[in-house]
Amino acid sequence: MRVIDSHTGGEPTRIIIEGGPDLGDGPISDRRALFAEKYDHYRTMCVCEPRCSDATVGALLCDPVDPTCTAGVIFFNTAGYLGMCGHGVIGLLVTLAYLGKINPGAHRIETPVGIVTAELLTANKVRLENIESYRFRSNVTVNVPGLGAVTGDVAWGGNWFFLVDGTPLALSLKNVSELTHVSSKIRRALSDAGVTGKGGAEIDHVEFFQDPPESDADSRNFVLCPGGAYDRSPCGTGTSAKLACLAADGKLDPEEIWVQESIVGSRFAASYRVGKGGGVIPSITGEAFVFGETQLVFQNDDPFRLGIA
Ligand code: PYC
């Protein structure tokens, strides 16, 4: 298996460019279902320990169905599969440019939740236009054991998010393990209380915000990802969910720039235009850098050949 590693604002993306599963040529959402059902070991071989870790989002580069698209992609991590991944699309474009496969300009990318457009601005800078994002429920209060009542919004940005009002602790790296612990408890409490996204979808990402932060950004966030790791980037789908909530509250106008900073200090410049379905079409600009080209080896006698899943 040949992979290219990059990071977007510190958040790693590992793209399988050779040696992935053959998922046929059906719609990308069907291919993701087939990946999960029959070829899940490719996911664990690629992103689980000992070859990788739960901070990384994996991506399978696919041929698109739609000939106007540059590529298709299926994102996954140590816990399962993602709908979309904003930092991952930025990493994908930068990787394709690094490989000499694309030129600057706009590229349509098929994902399991729809087509996104991403513009390669320079070798490392990408502007992503995400799928329509929206707030699903506002002011939801859940009782969290040991914490008490926690209130926030449920929103879709390509994945399901619970956006907590404020933060229980300062958003600094020294608090990462406590923030991870508290956000995991909130995620469990949401599930126990039956709070879901549309159609009963699991809310697998939890966000805390410091608005405004101590820096000159508009907001700093902490994002708990499904595998239990925190997003080192400001999270493209999480920032999309945030824009949807800001728009719904009348706190951000269309085309106004929102600078979202992550807990490691990396930034996305974000804005939105009004979507056809009543939500927002987020635009997210960020930078990615390639840092590795690897041939993964799977020896027959290796007891952890398929990864520690
Ligand atoms: O950037 O959308 C994102 C993302 C999702 C999970 C990790 N990063």
Side-chain angles (χ1 to χ4, degrees), residues 195-232:
V195 178
T196 66
K198 201 173 180 178
E202 183 193 359
I203 298 169
D204 53 6
H205 293 74
V206 174
E207 290 194 73
F208 297 135
F209 294 95
Q210 208 168 310
D211 303 351
E214 279 158 21
S215 69
D216 61 355
D218 292 298
S219 169
R220 188 177 179 91
N221 67 5
F222 168 90
V223 185
L224 175 74
C225 294
Y230 69 96
D231 198 330
R232 278 70 172 162

mmCIF file of all heavy atoms in Angstrom, residues 195-232:
data_model
loop_
_atom_site.group_PDB
_atom_site.id
_atom_site.type_symbol
_atom_site.label_atom_id
_atom_site.label_comp_id
_atom_site.label_asym_id
_atom_site.label_seq_id
_atom_site.Cartn_x
_atom_site.Cartn_y
_atom_site.Cartn_z
ATOM 1 N N VAL A 195 -30.146 11.940 21.989
ATOM 2 C CA VAL A 195 -30.000 13.161 21.180
ATOM 3 C C VAL A 195 -29.153 12.787 19.963
ATOM 4 O O VAL A 195 -28.025 12.313 20.107
ATOM 5 C CB VAL A 195 -29.314 14.292 21.976
ATOM 6 C CG1 VAL A 195 -29.139 15.529 21.104
ATOM 7 C CG2 VAL A 195 -30.096 14.624 23.234
ATOM 8 N N THR A 196 -29.728 12.977 18.784
ATOM 9 C CA THR A 196 -29.039 12.557 17.555
ATOM 10 C C THR A 196 -29.115 13.659 16.508
ATOM 11 O O THR A 196 -29.809 14.661 16.679
ATOM 12 C CB THR A 196 -29.723 11.308 16.945
ATOM 13 O OG1 THR A 196 -31.037 11.689 16.505
ATOM 14 C CG2 THR A 196 -29.806 10.150 17.915
ATOM 15 N N GLY A 197 -28.449 13.408 15.397
ATOM 16 C CA GLY A 197 -28.635 14.229 14.214
ATOM 17 C C GLY A 197 -29.889 13.761 13.483
ATOM 18 O O GLY A 197 -30.657 12.951 14.010
ATOM 19 N N LYS A 198 -30.057 14.279 12.267
ATOM 20 C CA LYS A 198 -31.246 13.941 11.471
ATOM 21 C C LYS A 198 -31.341 12.427 11.241
ATOM 22 O O LYS A 198 -30.312 11.777 11.008
ATOM 23 C CB LYS A 198 -31.123 14.658 10.120
ATOM 24 C CG LYS A 198 -32.401 14.840 9.389
ATOM 25 C CD LYS A 198 -32.119 15.709 8.197
ATOM 26 C CE LYS A 198 -33.354 15.964 7.388
ATOM 27 N NZ LYS A 198 -33.057 16.849 6.273
ATOM 28 N N GLY A 199 -32.548 11.899 11.314
ATOM 29 C CA GLY A 199 -32.756 10.482 11.025
ATOM 30 C C GLY A 199 -32.086 9.564 12.033
ATOM 31 O O GLY A 199 -31.796 8.411 11.719
ATOM 32 N N GLY A 200 -31.822 10.063 13.226
ATOM 33 C CA GLY A 200 -31.223 9.222 14.275
ATOM 34 C C GLY A 200 -29.721 9.057 14.133
ATOM 35 O O GLY A 200 -29.115 8.209 14.804
ATOM 36 N N ALA A 201 -29.103 9.886 13.278
ATOM 37 C CA ALA A 201 -27.650 9.756 13.073
ATOM 38 C C ALA A 201 -26.885 10.080 14.356
ATOM 39 O O ALA A 201 -27.246 11.015 15.087
ATOM 40 C CB ALA A 201 -27.206 10.696 11.959
ATOM 41 N N GLU A 202 -25.856 9.298 14.618
ATOM 42 C CA GLU A 202 -25.035 9.503 15.818
ATOM 43 C C GLU A 202 -24.276 10.843 15.737
ATOM 44 O O GLU A 202 -23.741 11.201 14.684
ATOM 45 C CB GLU A 202 -24.007 8.354 15.903
ATOM 46 C CG GLU A 202 -23.149 8.420 17.136
ATOM 47 C CD GLU A 202 -21.942 7.485 17.057
ATOM 48 O OE1 GLU A 202 -21.774 6.772 16.054
ATOM 49 O OE2 GLU A 202 -21.162 7.517 18.029
ATOM 50 N N ILE A 203 -24.256 11.555 16.854
ATOM 51 C CA ILE A 203 -23.417 12.772 16.930
ATOM 52 C C ILE A 203 -22.049 12.301 17.416
ATOM 53 O O ILE A 203 -21.892 11.912 18.573
ATOM 54 C CB ILE A 203 -24.028 13.797 17.911
ATOM 55 C CG1 ILE A 203 -25.410 14.227 17.408
ATOM 56 C CG2 ILE A 203 -23.098 14.995 18.078
ATOM 57 C CD1 ILE A 203 -26.213 15.014 18.415
ATOM 58 N N ASP A 204 -21.068 12.312 16.510
ATOM 59 C CA ASP A 204 -19.769 11.742 16.897
ATOM 60 C C ASP A 204 -18.663 12.778 17.056
ATOM 61 O O ASP A 204 -17.511 12.425 17.296
ATOM 62 C CB ASP A 204 -19.355 10.607 15.934
ATOM 63 C CG ASP A 204 -19.391 11.023 14.486
ATOM 64 O OD1 ASP A 204 -19.625 12.205 14.214
ATOM 65 O OD2 ASP A 204 -19.182 10.150 13.616
ATOM 66 N N HIS A 205 -19.010 14.065 16.904
ATOM 67 C CA HIS A 205 -18.017 15.124 17.139
ATOM 68 C C HIS A 205 -18.600 16.111 18.160
ATOM 69 O O HIS A 205 -19.781 16.474 18.057
ATOM 70 C CB HIS A 205 -17.715 15.915 15.869
ATOM 71 C CG HIS A 205 -17.023 15.124 14.796
ATOM 72 N ND1 HIS A 205 -17.655 14.171 14.031
ATOM 73 C CD2 HIS A 205 -15.746 15.174 14.335
ATOM 74 C CE1 HIS A 205 -16.805 13.661 13.154
ATOM 75 N NE2 HIS A 205 -15.640 14.252 13.311
ATOM 76 N N VAL A 206 -17.765 16.548 19.108
ATOM 77 C CA VAL A 206 -18.195 17.541 20.107
ATOM 78 C C VAL A 206 -17.211 18.710 20.051
ATOM 79 O O VAL A 206 -15.997 18.501 19.983
ATOM 80 C CB VAL A 206 -18.216 16.914 21.527
ATOM 81 C CG1 VAL A 206 -18.507 17.971 22.589
ATOM 82 C CG2 VAL A 206 -19.250 15.795 21.599
ATOM 83 N N GLU A 207 -17.764 19.939 20.065
ATOM 84 C CA GLU A 207 -16.898 21.123 19.978
ATOM 85 C C GLU A 207 -17.106 22.050 21.167
ATOM 86 O O GLU A 207 -18.241 22.282 21.588
ATOM 87 C CB GLU A 207 -17.246 21.957 18.725
ATOM 88 C CG GLU A 207 -16.866 21.327 17.424
ATOM 89 C CD GLU A 207 -16.922 22.340 16.279
ATOM 90 O OE1 GLU A 207 -16.031 23.209 16.206
ATOM 91 O OE2 GLU A 207 -17.860 22.256 15.468
ATOM 92 N N PHE A 208 -15.993 22.586 21.668
ATOM 93 C CA PHE A 208 -16.021 23.694 22.636
ATOM 94 C C PHE A 208 -15.482 24.928 21.931
ATOM 95 O O PHE A 208 -14.599 24.814 21.064
ATOM 96 C CB PHE A 208 -15.102 23.399 23.825
ATOM 97 C CG PHE A 208 -15.482 22.192 24.646
ATOM 98 C CD1 PHE A 208 -14.518 21.277 25.049
ATOM 99 C CD2 PHE A 208 -16.800 21.980 25.038
ATOM 100 C CE1 PHE A 208 -14.853 20.174 25.819
ATOM 101 C CE2 PHE A 208 -17.148 20.864 25.806
ATOM 102 C CZ PHE A 208 -16.174 19.968 26.193
ATOM 103 N N PHE A 209 -15.966 26.092 22.356
ATOM 104 C CA PHE A 209 -15.519 27.347 21.733
ATOM 105 C C PHE A 209 -15.158 28.388 22.774
ATOM 106 O O PHE A 209 -15.822 28.483 23.802
ATOM 107 C CB PHE A 209 -16.636 27.950 20.862
ATOM 108 C CG PHE A 209 -16.972 27.097 19.672
ATOM 109 C CD1 PHE A 209 -18.020 26.192 19.742
ATOM 110 C CD2 PHE A 209 -16.247 27.193 18.500
ATOM 111 C CE1 PHE A 209 -18.326 25.389 18.651
ATOM 112 C CE2 PHE A 209 -16.541 26.403 17.406
ATOM 113 C CZ PHE A 209 -17.585 25.499 17.488
ATOM 114 N N GLN A 210 -14.162 29.171 22.450
ATOM 115 C CA GLN A 210 -13.840 30.382 23.205
ATOM 116 C C GLN A 210 -14.008 31.522 22.197
ATOM 117 O O GLN A 210 -13.186 31.677 21.299
ATOM 118 C CB GLN A 210 -12.384 30.281 23.669
ATOM 119 C CG GLN A 210 -12.073 31.041 24.932
ATOM 120 C CD GLN A 210 -10.692 30.632 25.446
ATOM 121 O OE1 GLN A 210 -10.380 29.447 25.584
ATOM 122 N NE2 GLN A 210 -9.847 31.611 25.710
ATOM 123 N N ASP A 211 -15.125 32.258 22.285
ATOM 124 C CA ASP A 211 -15.434 33.345 21.327
ATOM 125 C C ASP A 211 -15.596 34.639 22.116
ATOM 126 O O ASP A 211 -16.609 34.763 22.820
ATOM 127 C CB ASP A 211 -16.777 33.128 20.619
ATOM 128 C CG ASP A 211 -16.922 31.825 19.862
ATOM 129 O OD1 ASP A 211 -15.941 31.112 19.702
ATOM 130 O OD2 ASP A 211 -18.048 31.558 19.435
ATOM 131 N N PRO A 212 -14.757 35.615 22.018
ATOM 132 C CA PRO A 212 -13.514 35.602 21.257
ATOM 133 C C PRO A 212 -12.392 35.015 22.096
ATOM 134 O O PRO A 212 -12.454 35.018 23.325
ATOM 135 C CB PRO A 212 -13.279 37.096 21.015
ATOM 136 C CG PRO A 212 -13.893 37.769 22.211
ATOM 137 C CD PRO A 212 -15.034 36.914 22.635
ATOM 138 N N PRO A 213 -11.345 34.534 21.446
ATOM 139 C CA PRO A 213 -10.192 34.003 22.193
ATOM 140 C C PRO A 213 -9.244 35.120 22.603
ATOM 141 O O PRO A 213 -9.541 36.291 22.349
ATOM 142 C CB PRO A 213 -9.531 33.098 21.151
ATOM 143 C CG PRO A 213 -9.876 33.712 19.846
ATOM 144 C CD PRO A 213 -11.183 34.445 20.003
ATOM 145 N N GLU A 214 -8.099 34.741 23.170
ATOM 146 C CA GLU A 214 -7.126 35.792 23.558
ATOM 147 C C GLU A 214 -6.399 36.365 22.337
ATOM 148 O O GLU A 214 -5.899 37.466 22.366
ATOM 149 C CB GLU A 214 -6.115 35.215 24.546
ATOM 150 C CG GLU A 214 -6.708 35.181 25.954
ATOM 151 C CD GLU A 214 -6.033 34.178 26.856
ATOM 152 O OE1 GLU A 214 -4.883 33.785 26.570
ATOM 153 O OE2 GLU A 214 -6.674 33.784 27.855
ATOM 154 N N SER A 215 -6.357 35.606 21.239
ATOM 155 C CA SER A 215 -5.671 36.070 20.022
ATOM 156 C C SER A 215 -6.620 36.972 19.218
ATOM 157 O O SER A 215 -7.727 37.259 19.656
ATOM 158 C CB SER A 215 -5.301 34.860 19.176
ATOM 159 O OG SER A 215 -6.492 34.291 18.661
ATOM 160 N N ASP A 216 -6.184 37.372 18.008
ATOM 161 C CA ASP A 216 -7.052 38.221 17.185
ATOM 162 C C ASP A 216 -7.968 37.400 16.267
ATOM 163 O O ASP A 216 -8.580 37.945 15.345
ATOM 164 C CB ASP A 216 -6.214 39.224 16.376
ATOM 165 C CG ASP A 216 -5.249 38.528 15.418
ATOM 166 O OD1 ASP A 216 -5.171 37.277 15.464
ATOM 167 O OD2 ASP A 216 -4.602 39.223 14.627
ATOM 168 N N ALA A 217 -8.068 36.086 16.478
ATOM 169 C CA ALA A 217 -9.033 35.282 15.716
ATOM 170 C C ALA A 217 -10.442 35.591 16.228
ATOM 171 O O ALA A 217 -10.599 36.248 17.263
ATOM 172 C CB ALA A 217 -8.717 33.800 15.884
ATOM 173 N N ASP A 218 -11.464 35.116 15.519
ATOM 174 C CA ASP A 218 -12.840 35.319 16.010
ATOM 175 C C ASP A 218 -13.212 34.278 17.053
ATOM 176 O O ASP A 218 -14.099 34.507 17.880
ATOM 177 C CB ASP A 218 -13.826 35.252 14.835
ATOM 178 C CG ASP A 218 -13.645 36.432 13.916
ATOM 179 O OD1 ASP A 218 -13.848 37.560 14.379
ATOM 180 O OD2 ASP A 218 -13.241 36.236 12.751
ATOM 181 N N SER A 219 -12.556 33.122 16.976
ATOM 182 C CA SER A 219 -12.942 32.032 17.856
ATOM 183 C C SER A 219 -11.815 31.006 17.911
ATOM 184 O O SER A 219 -11.054 30.853 16.952
ATOM 185 C CB SER A 219 -14.210 31.385 17.275
ATOM 186 O OG SER A 219 -14.518 30.184 17.906
ATOM 187 N N ARG A 220 -11.723 30.333 19.042
ATOM 188 C CA ARG A 220 -10.770 29.213 19.176
ATOM 189 C C ARG A 220 -11.623 27.990 19.511
ATOM 190 O O ARG A 220 -12.595 28.108 20.270
ATOM 191 C CB ARG A 220 -9.806 29.534 20.311
ATOM 192 C CG ARG A 220 -8.628 28.580 20.478
ATOM 193 C CD ARG A 220 -7.763 29.125 21.606
ATOM 194 N NE ARG A 220 -6.619 28.302 21.885
ATOM 195 C CZ ARG A 220 -5.414 28.453 21.311
ATOM 196 N NH1 ARG A 220 -5.218 29.386 20.413
ATOM 197 N NH2 ARG A 220 -4.414 27.674 21.648
ATOM 198 N N ASN A 221 -11.286 26.834 18.939
ATOM 199 C CA ASN A 221 -12.102 25.664 19.263
ATOM 200 C C ASN A 221 -11.267 24.473 19.705
ATOM 201 O O ASN A 221 -10.048 24.431 19.530
ATOM 202 C CB ASN A 221 -13.030 25.279 18.083
ATOM 203 C CG ASN A 221 -12.290 24.773 16.851
ATOM 204 O OD1 ASN A 221 -11.084 24.599 16.865
ATOM 205 N ND2 ASN A 221 -13.036 24.551 15.785
ATOM 206 N N PHE A 222 -11.987 23.548 20.299
ATOM 207 C CA PHE A 222 -11.464 22.212 20.611
ATOM 208 C C PHE A 222 -12.486 21.264 20.013
ATOM 209 O O PHE A 222 -13.687 21.405 20.265
ATOM 210 C CB PHE A 222 -11.387 21.989 22.129
ATOM 211 C CG PHE A 222 -11.145 20.546 22.491
ATOM 212 C CD1 PHE A 222 -9.853 20.053 22.623
ATOM 213 C CD2 PHE A 222 -12.209 19.665 22.668
ATOM 214 C CE1 PHE A 222 -9.634 18.712 22.932
ATOM 215 C CE2 PHE A 222 -11.996 18.326 22.973
ATOM 216 C CZ PHE A 222 -10.705 17.859 23.110
ATOM 217 N N VAL A 223 -12.036 20.311 19.210
ATOM 218 C CA VAL A 223 -12.971 19.383 18.553
ATOM 219 C C VAL A 223 -12.590 17.948 18.903
ATOM 220 O O VAL A 223 -11.473 17.509 18.606
ATOM 221 C CB VAL A 223 -12.944 19.551 17.013
ATOM 222 C CG1 VAL A 223 -14.004 18.665 16.360
ATOM 223 C CG2 VAL A 223 -13.147 21.010 16.621
ATOM 224 N N LEU A 224 -13.532 17.247 19.521
ATOM 225 C CA LEU A 224 -13.339 15.818 19.792
ATOM 226 C C LEU A 224 -13.778 15.045 18.558
ATOM 227 O O LEU A 224 -14.909 15.202 18.084
ATOM 228 C CB LEU A 224 -14.197 15.381 20.988
ATOM 229 C CG LEU A 224 -14.153 13.874 21.282
ATOM 230 C CD1 LEU A 224 -12.825 13.475 21.929
ATOM 231 C CD2 LEU A 224 -15.320 13.444 22.149
ATOM 232 N N CYS A 225 -12.882 14.207 18.042
ATOM 233 C CA CYS A 225 -13.184 13.409 16.843
ATOM 234 C C CYS A 225 -13.643 12.003 17.260
ATOM 235 O O CYS A 225 -13.432 11.588 18.398
ATOM 236 C CB CYS A 225 -11.946 13.327 15.956
ATOM 237 S SG CYS A 225 -11.493 14.935 15.287
ATOM 238 N N PRO A 226 -14.245 11.247 16.325
ATOM 239 C CA PRO A 226 -14.846 9.959 16.693
ATOM 240 C C PRO A 226 -13.890 8.963 17.354
ATOM 241 O O PRO A 226 -14.293 8.229 18.254
ATOM 242 C CB PRO A 226 -15.353 9.411 15.350
ATOM 243 C CG PRO A 226 -15.552 10.612 14.499
ATOM 244 C CD PRO A 226 -14.525 11.609 14.927
ATOM 245 N N GLY A 227 -12.621 8.941 16.960
ATOM 246 C CA GLY A 227 -11.689 7.961 17.535
ATOM 247 C C GLY A 227 -11.201 8.349 18.921
ATOM 248 O O GLY A 227 -10.453 7.605 19.549
ATOM 249 N N GLY A 228 -11.580 9.535 19.405
ATOM 250 C CA GLY A 228 -11.166 9.972 20.748
ATOM 251 C C GLY A 228 -10.032 10.978 20.695
ATOM 252 O O GLY A 228 -9.639 11.528 21.727
ATOM 253 N N ALA A 229 -9.485 11.233 19.499
ATOM 254 C CA ALA A 229 -8.425 12.238 19.380
ATOM 255 C C ALA A 229 -9.066 13.608 19.188
ATOM 256 O O ALA A 229 -10.238 13.698 18.804
ATOM 257 C CB ALA A 229 -7.536 11.917 18.185
ATOM 258 N N TYR A 230 -8.289 14.662 19.422
ATOM 259 C CA TYR A 230 -8.800 16.012 19.142
ATOM 260 C C TYR A 230 -8.255 16.459 17.802
ATOM 261 O O TYR A 230 -7.166 16.038 17.384
ATOM 262 C CB TYR A 230 -8.406 16.991 20.260
ATOM 263 C CG TYR A 230 -6.938 17.300 20.328
ATOM 264 C CD1 TYR A 230 -6.409 18.425 19.713
ATOM 265 C CD2 TYR A 230 -6.054 16.437 20.995
ATOM 266 C CE1 TYR A 230 -5.041 18.710 19.758
ATOM 267 C CE2 TYR A 230 -4.694 16.712 21.032
ATOM 268 C CZ TYR A 230 -4.196 17.842 20.416
ATOM 269 O OH TYR A 230 -2.848 18.102 20.444
ATOM 270 N N ASP A 231 -9.017 17.313 17.129
ATOM 271 C CA ASP A 231 -8.576 17.823 15.831
ATOM 272 C C ASP A 231 -7.510 18.899 16.049
ATOM 273 O O ASP A 231 -7.755 19.874 16.755
ATOM 274 C CB ASP A 231 -9.782 18.395 15.070
ATOM 275 C CG ASP A 231 -9.511 18.530 13.585
ATOM 276 O OD1 ASP A 231 -8.344 18.750 13.220
ATOM 277 O OD2 ASP A 231 -10.470 18.416 12.804
ATOM 278 N N ARG A 232 -6.371 18.704 15.446
ATOM 279 C CA ARG A 232 -5.297 19.716 15.542
ATOM 280 C C ARG A 232 -5.631 20.914 14.662
ATOM 281 O O ARG A 232 -5.138 22.016 14.907
ATOM 282 C CB ARG A 232 -3.954 19.121 15.100
ATOM 283 C CG ARG A 232 -3.223 18.318 16.165
ATOM 284 C CD ARG A 232 -3.876 17.003 16.493
ATOM 285 N NE ARG A 232 -3.038 16.182 17.369
ATOM 286 C CZ ARG A 232 -3.484 15.171 18.081
ATOM 287 N NH1 ARG A 232 -4.771 14.854 18.072
ATOM 288 N NH2 ARG A 232 -2.671 14.464 18.835
#
